Amino acid sequence: MKNNLSNIKKAIKYLNNNECIGIPTETVYGLAGNAYSDLATLKIFRLKKRPKKNPLIVHYSNLQDLKKDCEINNLFLKLYKKYSPGPISFVLKLKKTSKISNNVTNGKKTLAVRFPKHQLTRRLLKKLNYPLAAPSANISKRISPVCKDDVEDEFGKKLKFILDGGRSQIGLESTIISLVDKPEILRLGGFDKKKIKRHIDKKYYKKIGKNKILVPGQGKTHYSPGIPMRLNAINIRKNEAFLLIKKRKERNKNFFYLSKNKNIKEIAKNLYRTLRKVKKSGYKVLAIEKIPKKGIGETINDRLIRAAKKL
Ligand code: AMP
Ligand code: MG
């Protein structure tokens, strides 16, 4: 606790100086900077080697602060009250009076926002007088980090500080829903989209399920571990790493378990960490068992298909 407090103080100091830092969230770790600062947000793009046209998600601790930057509507309020803080990002209309840096939106009139649940980051946000722009803390197109070591792995000494909040509990990026016009899911994520459907008029149901490529994060190659992947594998081939979702009796040093018994939340939490571990262990090919499509299993399958595409 004491340690946390001094680390939060350090984080504030860096952020107030327009530096970027790593922050923990329940989805994945973020690369955070003052969302009102042109300099801090420019640094985020540079560090990540992120194309300028790919806008950033901005993180808030409360509704009053968000209202300074965005227009809100009834559906947003309903979903916010029910599911925030949590792994759901909303795209809203930007207010003309907003102080959000143009770098964040790439000049768009909309803004993606989220209220992260991780306690440490919530405490940090409450102490700042600006929101944090924070995309995932990885080099563009690579796997998102789910702990401090992963962030170090991505940026090494280029990043001055990482707030250590342990392992990300969900392990997948947030679900993004646009509420600018008709509600629309832009990216599947760590939030079960069925829960969103419950609150939306039936006439929009079809639209929500469509899963078109609407945001840059939904490009064909993304979330890549940097080695070829064989999906829906049944058995292991020579020299492959094999990711399994259920314990097997047979022992093999090339087996990596994502879960003991097909628990989808456990699989999600362990996925990126395991992909990273396998890559670092020097395997040249990675095979992975079929993952059930139920709940956030749909998101995991979405990510794996993108990750398996050739770089
Ligand atoms: P991440 O790097 O995981 O934070 O990715 C953020 C995602 O949010 C990207 O795919 C962005 O394209 C998307 N995004 C951010 N802002 C907007 C916006 N205003 N409209 C649509 N998508 C957005
Ligand atoms: Mg990302």
Side-chain angles (χ1 to χ4, degrees):
M1 193 69 176
K2 216 170 148 194
N3 205 4
N4 280 348
L5 202 66
S6 72
N7 282 333
I8 287 182
K9 277 189 184 154
K10 257 191 214 165
I12 295 171
K13 215 168 146 191
Y14 282 112
L15 291 166
N16 284 346
N17 273 329
N18 284 318
E19 292 294 348
C20 303
I21 63 164
I23 58 163
T25 90
E26 72 281 15
T27 57
V28 300
Y29 270 64
L31 180 64
N34 178 352
Y36 292 159
S37 155
D38 289 341
L39 182 58
T41 49
L42 186 68
K43 283 182 183 171
I44 295 177
F45 281 90
R46 284 204 185 134
L47 271 166
K48 269 184 71 86
K49 303 193 175 102
R50 182 173 173 114
K52 275 218 167 130
K53 64 176 190 325
N54 194 353
L56 307 176
I57 298 178
V58 175
H59 295 67
Y60 292 85
S61 72
N62 65 70
L63 197 55
Q64 282 97 300
D65 287 346
L66 172 98
K67 282 182 182 167
K68 292 178 199 158
D69 297 319
C70 295
E71 309 275 0
I72 57 164
N73 56 45
N74 286 340
L75 180 57
F76 165 74
L77 275 179
K78 214 157 114 183
L79 294 173
Y80 166 81
K81 279 185 190 148
K82 193 102 182 128
Y83 302 121
S84 287
I88 177 167
S89 297
F90 307 95
V91 176
L92 298 170
K93 263 188 204 143
L94 197 63
K95 275 191 175 163
K96 283 209 177 80
T97 49
S98 156
K99 287 196 276 183
I100 294 288
S101 163
N102 262 327
N103 294 335
V104 169
T105 55
N106 186 32
K108 276 176 178 266
K109 300 285 176 269
T110 58
L111 183 69
V113 302
R114 187 165 92 84
F115 302 84
K117 197 171 189 167
H118 196 291
Q119 281 310 315
L120 211 52
T121 288
R122 278 185 69 72
R123 278 167 61 196
L124 171 65
L125 282 166
K126 279 181 193 161
K127 287 180 196 283
L128 300 170
N129 49 17
Y130 45 83
L132 290 176
S136 49
N138 53 281
I139 307 289
S140 236
K141 299 202 170 177
R142 297 277 164 190
I143 302 174
S144 297
V146 292
C147 62
K148 183 177 182 248
D149 284 353
D150 290 356
V151 182
E152 269 166 11
D153 211 28
E154 290 289 320
F155 300 108
K157 291 211 166 67
K158 282 189 192 150
L159 198 57
K160 295 197 173 124
F161 184 71
I162 304 164
L163 189 59
D164 189 355
R167 273 285 287 278
S168 293
Q169 286 305 305
I170 293 174
L172 295 171
E173 300 79 2
S174 64
T175 298
I176 307 178
I177 178 168
S178 170
L179 302 175
V180 172
D181 189 9
K182 285 181 183 170
E184 196 161 15
I185 298 225
L186 304 182
R187 174 178 78 182
L188 295 174
F191 187 84
D192 190 348
K193 76 174 185 199
K194 266 198 229 113
K195 288 194 205 160
I196 301 177
K197 281 186 177 179
R198 270 184 227 147
H199 301 274
I200 296 174
D201 198 312
K202 275 211 175 78
K203 62 185 175 218
Y204 296 129
Y205 274 20
K206 247 193 183 156
K207 187 148 187 164
I208 279 218
K210 260 193 180 163
N211 192 19
K212 294 180 286 184
I213 296 177
L214 287 160
V215 293
Q218 290 293 78
K220 274 191 185 142
T221 54
H222 217 90
Y223 316 104
S224 170
I227 51 174
M229 284 174 68
R230 193 161 66 82
L231 305 184
N232 305 323
I234 296 166
N235 281 313
I236 190 165
R237 293 180 190 162
K238 210 177 155 202
N239 298 330
E240 276 182 353
F242 194 19
L243 274 54
L244 295 148
I245 59 169
K246 191 179 176 206
K247 265 271 185 245
R248 290 195 179 184
K249 281 198 187 115
E250 178 193 350
R251 278 172 176 258
N252 189 320
K253 69 170 176 39
N254 298 340
F255 283 0
F256 293 83
Y257 287 102
L258 297 171
S259 152
K260 267 192 200 137
N261 194 16
K262 298 187 185 177
N263 179 314
I264 205 73
K265 286 191 175 162
E266 206 179 310
I267 295 171
K269 186 178 171 190
N270 291 323
L271 181 70
Y272 289 160
R273 187 88 194 111
T274 312
L275 290 176
R276 204 176 272 274
K277 198 159 102 189
V278 165
K279 167 81 197 306
K280 281 182 98 175
S281 311
Y283 286 94
K284 297 284 181 273
V285 183
L286 181 157
I288 181 161
E289 254 188 328
K290 189 175 182 141
I291 313 268
K293 289 212 173 83
K294 208 174 56 186
I296 55 168
E298 193 184 350
T299 306
I300 300 175
N301 278 285
D302 168 87
R303 299 296 191 269
L304 287 175
I305 288 166
R306 292 174 211 288
K309 289 264 154 78
K310 280 209 182 84
L311 283 177

